[in-house]
Amino acid sequence: MTQQSSFNPQQFIAIVPAAGVGARMQAACPKQYLSIDNKSILDHTLSVLQSHPRIKRIVCAISPDDGYFGDSVFAHHQQVTRVDGGVERADSVFNCLHYLTNHLPKAELECTWVMVHDAARPCLSGADIDALIDFVQHQGHGAILATPVRDTMKRASTENGQNWVSHTEERQHLWHALTPQCFPLMTLYRALQQAFERDATITDEASAIEGFGGYVGLVEGQMSNLKITHPQDLALAELIIKAR
Ligand SMILES: Nc1ccn([C@@H]2O[C@H](COP(=O)(O)OP(=O)(O)OP(=O)(O)O)[C@@H](O)[C@H]2O)c(=O)n1
Ligand SMILES: C[C@](O)(CO)[C@H](O)COP(=O)(O)O
C-alpha cells in the first residue's frame, strides 16, 4: 500500500450526507426527519457538529425532493451550507466536496480536511470527534471512527428462503466502520473520482481512500454512535440522546 503523503490539517469542515430515503426504516418520511425528543434526527446530528469548536463549518447534502423537510431543519441551522444529494451516499458526499472545490480558495483547499458524518448517526459524542481529530493531526493520515467486533461472526448461505450458517468468520482484527471519517479534502475528492471511474462499490469514504492507495487509521469510538437504520434503532437512539 503506497503511503498517502502527509498533510498538516489547518481546518476541519463537516460533510453530512442526509439525502437518503431511509427505505429500511419503513417510515412515512426519510428517517433523518423522524423526531427524537422533539427534534429531528438531522437536527440532533447538525447540533452535535455545530457545537464542536474544532469544526469550522458544515456542508449538508439533502434530497431536492425533501424541500419541506429540509426547509424546516435549515430554518434553525442557517449557517449550514445546503447541497443537493445524489443517487447514492457516495454521490451526495462527492457533491458536497465538489461544492467546496468551487467555493474555497485553492490555498485553503490544500490544508482543509473533511469529516464525513452520517445524518443518521445523531448520538455522536464530542469526545469521539476530538479523538479522531487528535489522531489525524498527530499521524498526518486520514482515519475513521470504528469499534472492534464483539460477537462471533457467521457467514450465511440461503436455502429455501432460510438463512443457514455457511461458516464462522475469523473475527480478530474485524471492526465496524462508523462515522465521522476524516481525510484531506482534495485527497478524498480525487479518490472518489477514481472510484466512480472504476465503477467501484463505495459504501464509506475509507473504501475510496483504500482503493486510492491511502492509509486509513482506525480510531476506537463509542458503540452508542449507532446508525439509525431499522425501526428498532429509534428507541435505542432516544435512550442514548436522553441520557446525554
Ligand atoms: N443517496 C444517498 C443515500 C444515503 N445518504 C445518507 O447516508 C447516510 C447513511 O446511509 P443509510 O443509513 O443507508 O441511509 P438511507 O440510504 O436513507 O437508508 P436505506 O438504505 O435504508 O434507504 C444517511 O444519513 C443518508 O441520509 C445520502 O446522503 N444520499
Ligand atoms: C458510512 C457507514 O455508515 C459506515 O458504516 C456505512 O457504510 C453506511 O452504509 P449505508 O448502507 O449507506 O447505511
Side-chain angles (χ1 to χ4, degrees):
M1 185 183 300
T2 55
Q3 180 162 346
Q4 166 190 334
S5 56
S6 292
F7 296 79
N8 176 22
Q10 297 295 321
Q11 64 179 14
F12 294 89
I13 293 179
I15 285 179
V16 179
V21 296
R24 290 170 285 182
M25 182 55 78
Q26 301 168 337
C29 66
K31 62 187 179 184
Q32 56 272 29
Y33 302 110
L34 294 174
S35 181
I36 291 181
D37 204 16
N38 298 316
K39 270 172 72 169
S40 74
I41 288 168
L42 178 55
D43 248 317
H44 282 289
T45 302
L46 292 175
S47 299
V48 169
L49 296 167
Q50 235 153 12
S51 64
H52 199 283
R54 299 166 83 176
I55 293 177
K56 180 176 182 192
R57 67 182 284 196
I58 301 171
V59 180
C60 180
I62 69 163
S63 167
D65 302 333
D66 290 351
Y68 160 75
F69 291 114
D71 294 346
S72 60
V73 170
F74 286 91
H76 35 280
H77 290 284
Q78 288 169 15
Q79 62 278 40
V80 173
T81 302
R82 190 172 162 174
V83 166
D84 282 351
V87 173
E88 301 295 338
R89 180 184 177 284
D91 301 307
S92 298
V93 172
F94 184 80
N95 289 355
C96 293
L97 292 164
H98 188 68
Y99 171 89
L100 289 168
T101 61
N102 286 332
H103 289 81
L104 290 185
K106 187 175 183 330
E108 206 174 323
L109 280 173
E110 294 305 324
C111 64
T112 295
W113 286 50
V114 289
M115 302 193 88
V116 184
H117 183 59
D118 295 327
R121 291 181 190 268
C123 303
L124 173 65
S125 72
D128 275 3
I129 296 173
D130 280 323
L132 186 58
I133 289 179
D134 291 346
F135 178 96
V136 301
Q137 286 192 318
H138 179 68
Q139 298 288 339
H141 290 287
I144 68 172
L145 288 180
T147 56
V149 162
R150 290 162 172 74
D151 307 302
T152 296
M153 303 304 286
K154 302 293 184 185
R155 178 69 61 187
S157 63
T158 306
E159 271 180 51
N160 308 323
Q162 174 63 45
N163 289 315
W164 302 92
V165 174
S166 162
H167 60 271
T168 298
E169 293 284 4
E170 170 56 53
R171 76 174 176 194
Q172 195 179 15
H173 307 306
L174 206 53
W175 292 60
H176 293 279
L178 308 174
T179 69
Q181 302 200 2
C182 187
F183 299 100
L185 190 160
M186 290 311 296
T187 302
L188 181 57
Y189 186 67
R190 295 179 187 119
L192 281 172
Q193 281 178 318
Q194 188 201 70
F196 295 153
E197 284 160 12
R198 55 190 165 86
D199 205 20
T201 300
I202 298 295
T203 58
D204 72 344
E205 288 62 60
S207 312
I209 296 290
E210 294 155 41
F212 199 55
Y215 280 165
V216 178
L218 288 165
V219 176
E220 187 162 357
Q222 297 169 40
M223 279 288 280
S224 55
N225 178 18
L226 78 155
K227 182 166 67 72
I228 298 175
T229 307
H230 301 286
Q232 67 265 30
D233 299 330
L234 215 48
L236 180 54
E238 184 151 14
L239 284 173
I240 294 163
I241 286 170
K242 286 184 170 178
R244 276 208 272 229

